[in-house]
Structure formats: C-alpha cells, structure tokens
Amino acid sequence: MPQPFKLPEFYTPYPARLNPHLESARVHSKAWAREMTMIEGSGIWDEATFDAHDYALLCAYTHPDCDADELSLVTDWYVWVFFFDDHFLDIFKRSKDMAGAKAYLDRLPAFMPLDGGAPAMEPVNQVEAGLADLWARTVPAMSQGWRARFAESTQHLLEESLWELNNINENRVSNPVEYIEMRRKVGGAPWSAGLVEHAVGAEVPAAVAASRPLRVLKDTFSDGVHLRNDLFSYQREVEEEGEMANGVLVLEHFLDCTTQEAAEAVNDLLTSRLMQFEHTVLTELAPLFLEHGLDPKGCADVLAYAKGLQDWQAGGHEWHMRSSRYMNGGGPAGSPAVDRLLEGPLGLGTSAARLLPSIAATMPARLRAHSHVPHQQVGHLELPEFYLPFPPRLSPHLDSARDHTAEWARRVGIYDDVPLVWDEARLRDIDLPLCAAGIHPDASPEELDLSSDWLAWGTYGDDVYPVLFGRTPDMSAARACTERLLACMPPDAGAPDVVPANGMERGLADLWSRTAGPMAPDARAAFRKSIEDMVNSWLWELANQKENRVPDPVDYIEMRRRTFGSELTMSLSRLAHGRTVPPDVYRSRAVTAMENSAADYAALMNDVFSYQKEIQFEGEIHNCVLVVENFFNCDRHQALAIVNDLMTTRMRQFEHVTEVELPALYRDFGLSSEVRGVLEGYAQELRNWLAGIHVWHRDCLRYDEATLLRNAAPPVPALPANAFARTLGMSAVRPWAPAKTPAAVPSRA
C-alpha cells in the first residue's frame, strides 16, 4: 500500500542511546506476555506479531540508563498498554459496543489499590491480570502521592478510550484544541512520564508536582510523543483501523488541506512543543526551586526526571523508525533515518548525525518567535462573522451597577494609585458592569454589583501589572506584589495577612471578604485557587514580554484561559450551585470540555477585538492572531481566518457537549433531576457569559480605533524614586518611569 505522505524532517535535538540490557528484556517480556496469555490464546497477537513490534527495543531506547530488572518491569508495562490498545480496538471499537466498553473499563481501577494491597476482585481477562501483576510489582518503591498520580493517569488512559469510541460511532473529527487535550489522556504519555520517575529513581517532589513548570514539562512531553506517533501511525490508524483520533487527520479537516500539508503542520507543532519543553527547563525550573526552597536532592530529582523525558523523546523516535507497527519508510532518500533502516541494527550514538542539521532547521522558527517588532502600525482589523448562536439579554440593574462600581473603585482607592492607571472616566468607558449585566442577566442588584466589582478588579490588575513591572529588568518586584495579593485572601476568610496598601490590594481584600466569607472551606479553597492562577498567569506574560517571546500556540491557548480570568468567572457561576453537583461530575470530561470550549471562544474573541489595541498601541505579544501569524509565518488576515475557524469549532464543540455529552453524563452517573437541572442551568449561564462578553466587546469604549487614537497621549512624567515602593507598600524597589498613558497600557482584555 503506498504511503499517504512523506514523513517530514523531524526535530531530533538529543541523541538516542540503547540500554545494554535489551536482550534480557526481550526474553523476559515475551515470557511474561505468554504467562498472561497475551500471545497464545488471546486472538490479538501471535508470536510473530509480538516479536515484530519489539516493545523491549522501545523501552531500551526510551530508558537507556536503568538496570536489567527495571527495564524488564517497564517493558512489561508497555507490553500491557499496547495489548490493551489492540484488545480494546478488536473487541469494542470495531463492534462499536459502548455498553460493553464501559463495563470493561469500570472494572480496571479495582486492580490499582493505592494501599498496595490485594485487588478488590479477581481478574477475568489478560488486561486485568496484567494490571494486577504490574501494580503489585511497581508501587512498593513509590510514595502515596506518586501512586495517586500514576493511578489517575492510568485510569485516564483506559477510560478516555470511550471518547475515541464515541467519535468513531459519530464519525466525528475533533477540533485541534480538543484533540490535544484528549490525546494526552488516551495517548498515554502522561502515564509514560510517571514510569520515567520510577525508571530513573527520581520521584518529583510533592511540593512542585502540581506547579506550572512540571505540568508544562509533562504536557509538552506528552504532546511531542503523541504528535510524533500520529505521523508514523496515520496509515495504520486512519486507513486500516478507521480511527478518528489522529493529529494529521484533525488538521486535514480543520485547515482543509492535503494530507502532506497537514503532516508538515503537525510536525511544526511537534517542534514547537519540544522547544517549549526546552524553554521551560532553562527558564522556569531554577525560579521554581528557589520559590519552594527545594533541597539539593529535590532539585536533582526534578532534573533527572526532565532528562528522563528527553531520553524518552529521543528513544521513542528511534523506535518508531524501526518498528513494524508503523509507517517509517517515508523519509527522503539518502536521509540518516532511511539509511539506518537499510544498515540494520543501530549502535550507540548513531543518531548524533542528525543533531546539527536538526537544530539548524529549527532556527527560523526560533528567531521568528523572539524577533517580533512591537508597535507595528497594523490598523483596524476588520471583524469576521462570529458564529455565536445565543441571543444576549441584559440585566435591568445595569445603570445602578455602573454607579456602584465607579463608587466602589473610588472607595478602595483605585483612582488614587500611583502611577494612575484608571480614573473614573476610564473605568466608565471600559464599562465592566455592561459585561456583568450580559453574563448575569437575572442577577439581583447585589449580585450584579459583586460581579461588576470582580470584573473591574481583574481587568484593573491585568492593566496594572505591565505598567508596574513591564520595564523592570527582573521579576522580583512582580513576584513580591503577587505574594502580597495572595496574602489579601486568607484561606479562613478572616482579616488579610498584610495591611492593604493600594487600590489593587484593598479592592481584592474587600471582594474576598464579601465573596469567600459565606463559602464552605472546600469551595473557598477552589475559588481562591482560580484567583491565584489568574494572578500567576500575569507573571507568565511578564516573563514572555521581557524575552520578547511570542508564545507556543498550545501553551498560549491553555494559559489564555487564566489570563482572561475564565476560571474565576466560572467559579463565580458555581457559587450558586452549592453542593448539589458532586465534585467528580465537575471533573468529568463533559463538564470540563464544556467549560474549556466556552473559555477558549471568549478569550479568542477578545484577541480579535483587541488586536490593534495590543499590537499597535501597547506592543503586546499575547494575542492569538499574532501567535498564529508567528506559527504559520502568515499575514494577519490569514491568521484571523484561522482564529475565527478555531472559534467556530470550539463553539460547535460546546454545542455538541451540551446536546450530546451532557445527557450521556446524566445516564452514566445516574444523576438526579435536581443535579441535571443545576448542570443545565450552568450550561445556560455559559451561554449568557458568551453572549454577554460579545455585547461588551462590541459596545464598550476600549477597542474602537477612535478611542485608541484619542487616548494615545504623550507619556506621563517619571515617578519620584520612592513612589513605586510607597504604592506597593514595599520597602525597596528600583525607580520606575512608565512609558504610556493610562489609556495605552498593556491589558489582556
């Protein structure tokens, strides 16, 4: 069968190395697979198929430094996971048996007891027996925290196979953002990352396991593994197995392009994710170590883990080039990859020949990401036709909320801050109560006032951070400010741990006491985290700004939910739900997909409206139109079309979730009519949110060209040397002089 496309030139910056215990792992894994009846008697594999796939070679490449026993254990895990994939395909995907698949998957968590004891039931098939055996051999050496993380990733790997099966049954190709998110779960690379910790003997310290840098390392590793696999497995999955979950297929549909063009785009995204991994290691780990005061062993463990992930990427590529499981003969004639296939077994260091050409090939993209020229005269960006099928409604209490928020800002001292970022006229032009009135059209006057104040505070803080910290040479002052803001939100909702010293701090302290006081402790903690995530995301923006680095597209989309305050807004919506909805329902795929698709649509809409404001007037780099321009090396009009298409696909996913996936969720969880009513109401709240945000962008005086030109006044005078320190309530900070007027400061909304 001819190949559907020629494999692209991969970015392979690290040489693959081969574990010397390969042969013993081959012998052991075959004996183990036979003991589990995965080879003979399964109807899935025969011995020839098992030998051809050579999972021991995969593990010897991806874990080059572990000893023989560890390599055998890791190889057994991969034999098990690939057997599960083929077993699930044969029994459930081909037959499209959803009920049987769910019953099959529901049993598997019982074979991963966190206490390391005996499973809760007896295994009845090869997958269950293999999981029980592997779990018992693996967990004794690891902490409870690792066990919980690895069990969760294993459960995602298994359960989210239903997402793939649903798409096959509906003949549905997912959108790019949905695909990346779900592929991390069904593709198994986060699970592989957990095994890396075990294989290198370096467990990630619990204090940093949930931090952004460690999350990004795992996510970029996962995306790299999966996108590479999609390129090699397209022919087998799409043409032979009828799979819908393949990145090449997803981009073929989304970009409406040829298979070869989609493959090149997938490879570009793979390269971008690998470069994001490198950037995180080089720029974010050291500050993380200092922030958490990690001891030398903790630091060494994180670095060993990162190196283990790098080894996996390099070795995984080599295995894909050799395994009979994949399409791997499509490289250009005379390339090192194809030549090695013709030469036979690979020796240590043979992949090093690719390093310099591979790095050189990525230099244009690297330079482009850091060479954006700020304040380009881009002019007005004509708005596209947005697909937004929800009619807006406005609260009848809008006018009183406008007066309330203006007075609230005066009372907490926003108009008195130095430097002055907002005065009352500016606040009324921005008109955040208009946004609140659309988001919450049925709110009481008090509820609308509270929502308006939260939106005003979040937008003000987002405006203030670039003014205060965008021109300082380091991040210490910004981090100090962030710590003070967090201290204004004591977990017990009591008095702040600091004396608020400016409008931003007084505003947050006031809002926290008004909102968090009546909440239950667990709800208060979740709400506080949403605010903490938003404030910390402003630090991420500042770091990119100081490096003049246009973000990686996946990192941008995922962080944009935080910089736009989507999680905060949704947390506010959930306050009225009380304890009606069980927490695991909120964490379900359907609910998170509904929230994320809505959040992305809203944030991307903001980027379209604010393009001229941010790119021309503020010198911003955090705008999806610019991110797409940079990634595809295209002009702004082409980028706008891609962004609008992405908005449309996210909106259609939102509709699919609310119309198809939520009803399925109700059945699967056996939810009561009361819980169903709350979730239906939540979906309607998100529709109101999207419609209200659109009305606000359209009607407020923040994004139109006339207002932008009118506010482009000369810079304000320099501050006295100690004014900045007095404003923040800190003892010592470098002098600072702002470069723009209040109307022209960078903002992410």
Side-chain angles (χ1 to χ4, degrees), residues 193-403:
L195 280 179
V196 166
E197 292 181 69
H198 195 284
V200 301
E203 188 173 323
V204 172
V208 299
S211 65
R212 170 190 148 80
L214 270 295
R215 174 181 59 79
V216 171
L217 289 185
K218 183 166 68 174
D219 287 350
T220 51
F221 164 77
S222 300
D223 296 345
V225 169
H226 297 146
L227 292 171
R228 176 182 288 105
N229 177 265
D230 285 349
L231 287 162
F232 281 99
S233 64
Y234 177 91
Q235 186 168 37
R236 179 176 64 86
E237 291 180 345
V238 176
E239 296 185 352
E240 298 174 17
E241 297 176 355
E243 277 280 7
M244 310 297 285
N246 184 285
V248 180
L249 180 67
V250 167
L251 287 188
E252 275 186 273
H253 280 250
F254 177 71
L255 297 174
D256 191 22
C257 63
T258 67
T259 307
Q260 185 67 54
E261 290 169 334
E264 297 293 343
V266 167
N267 189 49
D268 289 342
L269 187 57
L270 162 60
T271 301
S272 182
R273 298 308 280 153
L274 295 179
M275 291 193 292
Q276 174 68 49
F277 179 97
E278 296 163 355
H279 183 269
T280 301
V281 169
L282 294 174
T283 65
E284 296 189 48
L285 288 187
L288 180 75
F289 297 162
L290 290 173
E291 177 186 353
H292 290 272
L294 286 191
D295 60 21
K297 182 182 184 307
C299 297
D301 284 346
V302 172
L303 294 174
Y305 168 67
K307 180 182 178 297
L309 297 179
Q310 283 185 343
D311 287 338
W312 208 112
Q313 292 282 5
H317 183 83
E318 291 301 310
W319 179 71
H320 277 85
M321 291 299 298
R322 297 188 57 79
S323 176
S324 67
R325 188 177 177 90
Y326 302 111
M327 179 186 91
N328 49 24
S335 72
V338 173
D339 289 346
R340 281 198 305 281
L341 288 172
L342 298 175
E343 290 168 3
L346 305 182
L348 293 176
T350 56
S351 63
R354 292 199 308 272
L355 295 185
L356 290 180
S358 174
I359 293 171
T362 64
M363 286 308 295
R366 290 179 187 273
L367 293 174
R368 196 164 62 245
H370 289 273
S371 59
H372 173 69
V373 178
H375 301 290
Q376 296 179 40
Q377 298 294 313
V378 296
H380 174 67
L381 189 65
E382 185 174 351
L383 296 177
E385 289 290 330
F386 295 116
Y387 176 62
L388 183 59
F390 314 131
R393 293 187 299 123
L394 292 181
S395 167
H397 310 300
L398 171 57
D399 287 339
S400 62
R402 283 169 168 153
D403 292 337

Side-chain angles (χ1 to χ4, degrees), residues 2-137:
Q3 291 189 177
F5 58 85
K6 183 175 71 174
L7 286 173
E9 291 288 348
F10 291 93
Y11 175 52
T12 52
Y14 318 113
R17 296 178 296 118
L18 195 63
N19 191 300
H21 306 294
L22 167 61
E23 288 305 323
S24 64
R26 278 176 171 150
V27 172
H28 172 89
S29 64
K30 182 185 288 189
W32 183 81
R34 184 168 280 122
E35 178 186 351
M36 296 292 132
T37 65
M38 294 177 178
I39 299 177
E40 290 89 4
S42 69
I44 305 298
W45 292 341
D46 57 23
E47 185 171 3
T49 301
F50 181 86
D51 290 342
H53 290 172
D54 205 352
Y55 300 116
L57 181 64
L58 166 65
C59 296
Y61 269 127
T62 54
H63 301 88
D65 298 318
C66 63
D67 62 27
D69 289 342
E70 183 69 24
L71 183 62
S72 292
L73 174 63
V74 169
T75 302
D76 291 349
W77 270 111
Y78 280 88
V79 169
W80 174 81
V81 80
F82 278 103
F83 181 86
F84 163 79
D85 193 47
D86 290 351
H87 190 250
F88 193 83
L89 167 70
D90 188 70
I91 297 178
F92 301 113
K93 287 185 178 179
R94 289 199 170 108
S95 67
K96 301 183 180 180
D97 178 8
M98 286 291 296
K102 187 176 185 306
Y104 171 92
L105 295 171
D106 284 346
R107 288 176 51 87
L108 294 178
F111 300 96
M112 297 182 289
L114 295 185
D115 62 3
M121 56 183 68
E122 288 296 318
V124 297
N125 58 47
Q126 299 93 332
V127 171
E128 292 179 357
L131 180 57
D133 177 79
L134 291 166
W135 187 259
R137 292 161 55 195

Side-chain angles (χ1 to χ4, degrees), residues 131-150:
L131 180 57
D133 177 79
L134 291 166
W135 187 259
R137 292 161 55 195
T138 304
V139 300
M142 308 304 284
S143 71
Q144 284 290 112
W146 183 90
R147 295 178 190 185
R149 286 188 282 117
F150 189 65

Side-chain angles (χ1 to χ4, degrees), residues 26 31 224 226 245 284 311 322 357 416 449 462 611 631 695 740:
R26 278 176 171 150
H226 297 146
E284 296 189 48
D311 287 338
R322 297 188 57 79
D416 301 325
D449 288 346
D462 200 20
Y611 181 80
F631 178 76
V695 168
K740 298 179 180 65

